[in-house]
Structure formats: structure tokens, C-alpha cells
Amino acid sequence: MSFDLDDIDRSIVAALVENSRLSVRQLAERVHISRSAAHKRFTALIESGAIKGFTAEVDRGALGMTVTAVVVVRIGDRPWPEVRDDLAALPFVEKVQAVSGDIDALVTVNAPDNTALSQVILRRIHEVPGVTSSRSLLILDEADGHRPGAQG
């Protein structure tokens, strides 16, 4: 879905991507508009769905999730929404994405150790009806890029 955002709306989104805890007053100061205009635009961005919510950015390692893998999954004849929902419900699964090309889905798994990771990959994912095969890629290092809405 596309949203009709002007430069001020984009500046508000960028400021919130940088720091989602900004008050309306701080947001108004940052984008150089009145507090009431900032509140109105902020509310409109939420109501339109351009801003879906606010979450905490979490360090997986601090939560004990020290091993991450991306699992490449092939799916048979079962409908995608059913397979997606079953995969997303598995323990330690962070994200399930449908992709184009010669594979069907990517499943991101964060686990406390290799034993838990292998249980999810070798047993739980393969037990999901519709999953025909998988291939795992262990994440060795990562860096954040630009989040949607961030300037630059």
C-alpha cells in the first residue's frame, strides 16, 4: 500500500525511526512545525497505517538468543497462508517471508544455542505440513542498514 506523504510527514517518520520515544513537542521542534500540527500529522500517520506501531529494539544476545539462522524453505501444495502461520508459531521463529525465485520462503530463527536451533530446524520446521525441504544458513555477523523512513 502506498501513502501520500509530503516532506513534513516524511521528516516526522524519519525522526520517529531514529527515536520512537520523541514527545509531540520534541517532534514539532525537530521538524519545525507547531505542536498542534505535529500532533495532527502524527495521529494521521498512525490512522492511515503509514506508522504501524512502536516497539523496543532488542539485543538478541542480551536475551540469550546467541545463534541465528536463515532457513530457506520449499513448500508443496498446501496454501501459503497456512504454512506461513504454522511456521511463525514455532518457538524461536522471528520472521517468515515468502520470496520469489526457486525457493518459497525464508524463516529467521533465533535460538539460545545450537541444540535448540537444530531442534527447530531439523524437527519442528520439517513437521509443518506443506514443508518439503529446507536449507539452513547460519548468521556469522550482521550490520544494520537504513530502516524504512530513515533519512539518508
Side-chain angles (χ1 to χ4, degrees):
M1 173 176 256
S2 179
F3 300 96
D4 189 22
L5 305 180
D6 64 14
D7 289 343
I8 294 172
D9 290 331
R10 290 183 193 286
S11 293
I12 289 170
V13 170
L16 291 169
V17 166
E18 184 179 316
N19 180 0
S20 65
R21 296 178 59 145
L22 289 173
S23 69
V24 172
R25 180 188 56 75
Q26 292 169 318
L27 198 55
E29 289 172 1
R30 177 89 51 94
V31 299
H32 310 292
I33 60 176
S34 71
R35 187 172 171 265
S36 63
H39 185 269
K40 181 178 177 182
R41 285 175 177 265
F42 174 75
T43 302
L45 287 165
I46 293 170
E47 289 175 353
S48 72
I51 295 175
K52 295 179 7 177
F54 299 90
T55 61
E57 190 172 334
V58 178
D59 181 327
R60 289 185 220 121
L63 296 178
M65 299 297 154
T66 59
V67 183
T68 301
V70 174
V71 184
V72 177
V73 176
R74 288 185 160 220
I75 298 169
D77 293 333
R78 189 167 179 231
W80 164 247
E82 294 174 16
V83 176
R84 177 199 60 213
D85 294 346
D86 284 352
L87 288 168
L90 295 176
F92 307 123
V93 169
E94 177 182 341
K95 186 180 289 188
V96 178
Q97 300 169 295
V99 295
S100 63
D102 63 342
I103 58 173
D104 299 309
L106 297 176
V107 179
T108 304
V109 180
N110 300 301
D113 53 43
N114 285 333
T115 301
L117 182 68
S118 67
Q119 289 294 315
V120 172
I121 294 170
L122 298 175
R123 293 217 170 105
R124 303 297 295 271
I125 288 176
H126 284 274
E127 290 173 354
V128 171
V131 171
T132 59
S133 67
S134 73
R135 186 177 68 218
S136 302
L137 306 165
L138 195 61
I139 303 299
L140 301 175
D141 189 26
E142 63 184 333
D144 292 330
H146 297 283
R147 292 183 285 171
Q151 298 290 334

